[in-house]
Amino acid sequence: MVYFLLVVAGLAVCLLLYMFYLAFQVNVKTHTLRVEEMRPGVQVHLFFISDIHRRKIGSNLIHSLIGKVDIVIIGGDLTEKGVPLQRTKHNIEQLKKLGDVFYVFGNNDREVGEQNLIQLLEKNDVHLLVNQSVERVIDRTLIRLVGVNDGFSGKVNIYDAFQEVRDEDILIFIAHAPAYFNNAKKVSKPHLLLAGHLHGGQIRFGPFGIYENGAFREKEHSAELVSNGFGTTGVPLRLGAKSECHIITMYGE
């Protein structure tokens, strides 16, 4: 009996160590999306990362992506309660090396103090998308990024967010939670919709988890990406829902 208990305890420790290892993996997933409105030969490369939480972005990841990214998008939960602002500053500075950075609030971000975080973002020239949109021209192609506030700790206004959108815009919609995808599609026709928040359930046993595993899904004229996120919340453990960040290439034919 004692031997059996020791074996069980050993297996449990090994499983926890493995889950801890999975939580700190760096997995860059690549996706492509053909956009009919884009000119043939044009490519726009997006780097999407969400739910960083307590993790520190390493230089190896950044160096592997330098020169491959046009726009960086942070899909919320850049930080959380107890995370030093200095670590968040480090992560922002790392992402800035890749390109212009855009950000939407997540449900944990304001735990460090909303004004503290806003000042840090603005000081580092990060563009906050709070129920609003901005446009960027890449290779003579106008891209409009539309972002909404976090609905758990702020007020979401879809109509304000899409107020300046024009019919000819190539649209990227960003929300921390994918629950707002349907709202966005009711008022406009985004080409790409991005979110995180769910962590893929974070700990899954086969097909079973608190939430569905993250995925990139192509629709008839658009695509939706729900990321498992880069970091963890609650416990620094993962199983069956790998940590991830993403390169999305939008292109014309």
Side-chain angles (χ1 to χ4, degrees):
M1 183 65 178
V2 173
Y3 176 75
F4 173 76
L5 292 174
L6 287 173
V7 170
V8 170
L11 290 173
V13 169
C14 289
L15 177 61
L16 286 172
L17 290 173
Y18 178 62
M19 293 168 69
F20 184 80
Y21 162 75
L22 291 178
F24 290 91
Q25 276 190 324
V26 176
N27 299 297
V28 182
K29 289 193 170 182
T30 59
H31 317 277
T32 57
L33 174 64
R34 185 176 70 85
V35 179
E36 292 180 2
E37 293 85 348
M38 291 177 69
R39 300 189 326 276
V42 171
Q43 292 188 353
V44 176
H45 306 282
L46 314 172
F47 179 65
F48 180 66
I49 187 168
S50 70
D51 303 281
I52 298 170
H53 290 286
R54 310 189 71 87
R55 280 193 77 172
K56 189 175 182 180
I57 297 175
S59 58
N60 287 345
L61 170 62
I62 299 302
H63 290 159
S64 71
L65 298 174
I66 286 177
K68 301 178 182 178
V69 174
D70 297 306
I71 293 174
V72 177
I73 300 171
I74 304 173
D77 279 0
L78 170 63
T79 186
E80 65 176 30
K81 184 178 180 180
V83 176
L85 281 176
Q86 189 62 33
R87 187 183 306 167
T88 305
K89 178 175 180 289
H90 163 85
N91 287 338
I92 292 170
E93 290 173 345
Q94 289 286 78
L95 294 172
K96 285 287 292 182
K97 294 176 183 177
L98 299 179
D100 220 3
V101 179
F102 299 83
Y103 161 86
V104 296
F105 274 108
N107 57 296
N108 293 116
D109 286 322
R110 289 182 168 95
E111 295 171 358
V112 300
E114 183 173 349
Q115 288 308 310
N116 292 334
L117 183 56
I118 288 175
Q119 288 175 12
L120 181 60
L121 292 165
E122 291 180 343
K123 187 176 180 180
N124 286 275
D125 297 319
V126 175
H127 307 278
L128 279 71
L129 297 177
V130 184
N131 301 324
Q132 64 191 91
S133 70
V134 295
E135 60 182 32
R136 286 294 180 271
V137 177
I138 300 169
D139 193 11
R140 295 182 296 143
T141 301
L142 194 149
I143 305 293
R144 183 173 293 276
L145 297 100
V146 180
V148 292
N149 202 356
D150 168 62
F152 296 89
S153 55
K155 183 179 179 181
V156 175
N157 193 316
I158 293 288
Y159 293 99
D160 282 355
F162 282 90
Q163 189 172 18
E164 297 180 356
V165 168
R166 297 164 296 195
D167 290 340
E168 64 270 23
D169 286 344
I170 294 173
L171 287 181
I172 300 170
F173 175 72
I174 311 140
H176 179 57
Y180 295 103
F181 283 180
N182 287 336
N183 300 67
K185 290 187 287 187
K186 287 178 182 177
V187 299
S188 189
K189 296 180 180 179
H191 296 86
L192 178 63
L193 301 96
L194 303 172
H197 179 57
L198 303 180
H199 295 228
Q202 194 163 308
I203 297 175
R204 308 179 59 83
F205 296 94
F208 303 104
I210 298 174
Y211 299 110
E212 188 177 0
N213 219 334
F216 180 83
R217 295 185 174 91
E218 289 196 57
K219 309 290 183 175
E220 188 175 356
H221 297 292
S222 65
E224 300 177 3
L225 170 61
V226 180
S227 176
N228 283 347
F230 189 69
T232 57
T233 189
V235 292
L237 301 173
R238 280 187 180 269
L239 185 68
K242 290 184 176 181
S243 63
E244 58 190 27
C245 50
H246 309 264
I247 294 283
I248 309 110
T249 300
M250 303 173 70
Y251 67 97
E253 275 189 348

